[in-house]
Amino acid sequence: MTFAEYLTRNYDNLLELGLEHLNLVLISMGIALAVGLPLGIVAHRNGFLRNPILAGAGFFLTLPSLALFSIFIPVLGIGAPPAIAALSLYALLPIVSNTVTGLASVSPAVVKASQGMGMTGFQRLLRVELPLAWPVILTGIRVSTQVVIGIAAIAALVGGPGLGTEIFRGLRSQGNASAPNLVYGGTLGVIVLALLLDAAFVLIRRLTTSRGIR
């Protein structure tokens, strides 16, 4: 069977696995964003905590992916939960570091002007600092998403959903004539998903960033 024939016959299956992969990535990124953005804000405002927070977020990227997945198995079991927990931790560093960098890049003169207008600290953060830092923060989210898309394929080893299932099914079938097609099909799906999400971030940046700071 040629690779083109494989794609034709298995299109529905690859689409289903691709949607599972996308769901895994989106859930993991949602958790990482909910944790990483506040951590980045705290790290920016508190110099004493900045290095420990950045070091803690960076520590997870030093761990082998399979090892980090396996750490959560005794607590969360097999399947999507340990994969989501591990992927969320892998996504933290670019979000936290870019939040710190983005907020630090906001002009002090702009911050002082907002203070002079009577804004509270929370109002300055919400209306001035975060909007100006948003392009840098969004870049961190974009990088994290690409990292998570790739590592999510390994989640199949702990029973996680997604395109990794097809890749490892092919690797386990070495010697079978269809094995390369399974590996190539899953890999192609991951690449296509990465390109689609990257294009989505380009669109999001245009829609959510004011023209003056693009």
Side-chain angles (χ1 to χ4, degrees):
M1 183 192 303
T2 66
F3 185 56
E5 291 173 336
Y6 160 81
L7 290 177
T8 302
R9 295 183 183 181
N10 293 274
Y11 173 79
D12 290 340
N13 180 52
L14 288 173
L15 179 60
E16 182 179 351
L17 291 175
L19 292 175
E20 290 178 359
H21 202 101
L22 176 63
N23 188 51
L24 184 65
V25 170
L26 292 180
I27 293 173
S28 302
M29 285 304 303
I31 295 172
L33 185 57
V35 175
L37 187 59
L39 281 178
I41 293 171
V42 171
H44 167 68
R45 297 203 163 182
N46 191 318
F48 178 75
L49 293 176
R50 184 175 305 151
N51 287 336
I53 289 174
L54 290 172
F59 168 73
F60 298 109
L61 282 176
T62 67
L63 297 176
S65 51
L66 185 57
L68 189 55
F69 287 138
S70 301
I71 288 172
F72 292 104
I73 290 178
V75 179
L76 301 175
I78 299 291
I84 291 171
L87 291 173
S88 300
L89 293 176
Y90 274 122
L92 280 179
L93 181 60
I95 295 174
V96 174
S97 62
N98 276 47
T99 299
V100 174
T101 302
L103 291 173
S105 68
V106 177
S107 171
V110 175
V111 176
K112 286 184 180 179
S114 64
Q115 288 176 330
M117 294 171 63
M119 289 187 181
T120 64
F122 180 74
Q123 287 175 326
R124 288 198 309 273
L125 177 67
L126 199 63
R127 298 182 183 179
V128 178
E129 295 178 82
L130 282 178
L132 291 174
W134 177 243
V136 179
I137 295 172
L138 186 62
T139 299
I141 300 171
R142 183 178 179 180
V143 170
S144 287
T145 301
Q146 296 300 314
V147 170
V148 167
I149 289 172
I151 298 177
I154 305 174
L157 290 176
V158 294
L163 291 159
T165 304
E166 193 79 348
I167 295 172
F168 286 106
R169 190 159 71 95
L171 293 175
R172 288 192 300 268
S173 304
Q174 285 300 318
N176 191 310
S178 63
N181 287 338
L182 297 175
V183 176
Y184 298 152
T187 304
L188 178 62
V190 172
I191 293 171
V192 169
L193 189 58
L195 291 174
L196 289 175
L197 285 180
D198 201 54
F201 274 108
V202 173
L203 180 60
I204 291 171
R205 182 184 175 108
R206 284 191 64 85
L207 295 176
T208 60
T209 305
S210 64
R211 293 182 180 180
I213 57 174
R214 282 180 187 169

